[in-house]
Amino acid sequence: MNSRSTVIDVLRTAGCVFAEDEADLLISTATTPAALTAMIDRRVEGVPLEQIVGWALFRELRVSLDPGVFVPRRRSEFLVEEALKLVPRPAVVVDLCCGSGALGIALAAASDDVELVAADVEPAAVRCARRNVEAVGGRVFEGDLFEPLPTDLKGRVDVLLANVPYVPSEAVALMPPEARLHEPRVALDGGVDGLDVLRRVAAEAAAWLADGGHLLVETSDRQAAEAVAVMTVNGLTAWSTYDDDRGATVVIGKR
């Protein structure tokens, strides 16, 4: 049987910075000693902890998470916080590139009277998101960006969350193995300069946003100026904002 101290030692040797916390979570989640051993082995192999235990904590919510699905980052909580400053009540909210649906359900949980719709191109993400989003009364569609969305949403979206991939293609190989090997590349790779998917979203956003509606995306600090320019070219009034504590940059465009 794996004692807590042994589990901590194994995780620490594997390079887990928060070995004590991870050990406690794995031990409390495992239903049998054999299950714990298997979970430890997966963690040592570099599988994200959240995929192993089956959930991620995001804005105090337990978000269901499956293997191979993008793990919501703490910095993305800043995007939700910025959206909460802008969301009207009632509101139509769309979560594009939704992954597990964490951003959309976090916004819905903190707002009143939200019609939530989410979409992702990855089948595994869609299956996962449906458990999370449908639990709060929302709908999830599978397909590329706006393509699967009901057309009756055009011109009605108050808040469009689009956590698009923004890592430049050449930089994907430099990412930690947890992301590079265990999350879908489509959720990470943003093209040559990291902004290809943002350009596609911005090109169609105005047609889907309500008058006064907002598009919010996450970028890196060095990409913010170009991201603002991309939104501006596509008819939105755009600006960027930054949270130093989480190293998070959000670019906002208003129709």
Side-chain angles (χ1 to χ4, degrees):
M1 182 177 292
N2 294 296
S3 68
R4 181 177 184 272
S5 61
T6 300
V7 175
I8 291 171
D9 288 343
V10 171
L11 295 177
R12 186 176 289 126
T13 300
C16 298
V17 177
F18 302 104
E20 292 85 354
D21 293 338
E22 293 197 12
D24 290 339
L25 184 53
L26 291 173
I27 291 168
S28 66
T29 302
T31 54
T32 66
L36 177 58
T37 297
M39 294 168 80
I40 295 168
D41 290 344
R42 293 178 68 204
R43 186 66 184 118
V44 169
E45 291 169 0
V47 179
L49 180 68
E50 295 86 352
Q51 293 181 1
I52 295 171
V53 300
W55 57 272
L57 192 64
F58 188 79
R59 281 185 56 86
E60 308 303 321
L61 298 175
R62 276 199 180 196
V63 180
S64 178
L65 199 72
D66 294 334
V69 176
F70 182 82
V71 179
R73 285 19 175 196
R74 179 174 174 265
R75 65 175 175 268
S76 297
E77 294 179 351
F78 180 56
L79 190 151
V80 175
E81 290 164 11
E82 290 300 299
L84 285 169
K85 299 175 183 177
L86 304 168
V87 63
R89 290 167 177 77
V92 175
V93 174
V94 171
D95 183 1
L96 281 190
C97 306
C98 70
S100 63
L103 273 64
I105 66 170
L107 183 61
S111 304
D112 298 322
D113 201 6
V114 167
E115 178 186 348
L116 176 60
V117 176
D120 201 288
V121 71
E122 274 286 311
V126 170
R127 288 193 296 271
C128 182
R130 281 187 173 138
R131 293 203 306 276
N132 292 313
V133 173
E134 290 178 358
V136 298
R139 295 176 290 163
V140 182
F141 298 90
E142 181 179 335
D144 185 35
L145 299 180
F146 298 96
E147 180 271 331
L149 297 182
T151 56
D152 64 3
L153 289 176
K154 280 195 171 183
R156 296 180 50 231
V157 178
D158 298 298
V159 172
L160 174 57
L161 307 172
N163 197 11
V164 296
Y166 59 89
V167 179
S169 298
E170 290 188 353
V172 172
L174 305 177
M175 297 185 71
E178 286 189 12
R180 178 168 41 86
L181 301 178
H182 299 285
E183 295 179 322
R185 182 161 183 133
V186 70
L188 306 172
D189 190 340
V192 175
D193 66 352
L195 298 177
D196 281 1
V197 183
L198 170 59
R199 290 187 180 93
R200 294 179 57 210
V201 171
E204 294 191 56
W208 292 85
L209 288 172
D211 187 28
H214 293 84
L215 164 64
L216 296 95
V217 303
E218 185 178 297
T219 70
S220 69
D221 183 51
R222 66 181 179 278
Q223 294 168 317
E226 180 60 23
V228 167
V230 167
M231 289 192 188
T232 302
V233 165
N234 285 282
L236 303 178
T237 301
W239 65 95
S240 63
T241 183
Y242 181 76
D243 178 70
D244 187 61
D245 290 340
R246 286 167 290 196
T249 300
V250 170
V251 176
I252 304 168
K254 179 179 180 180
R255 181 187 170 203

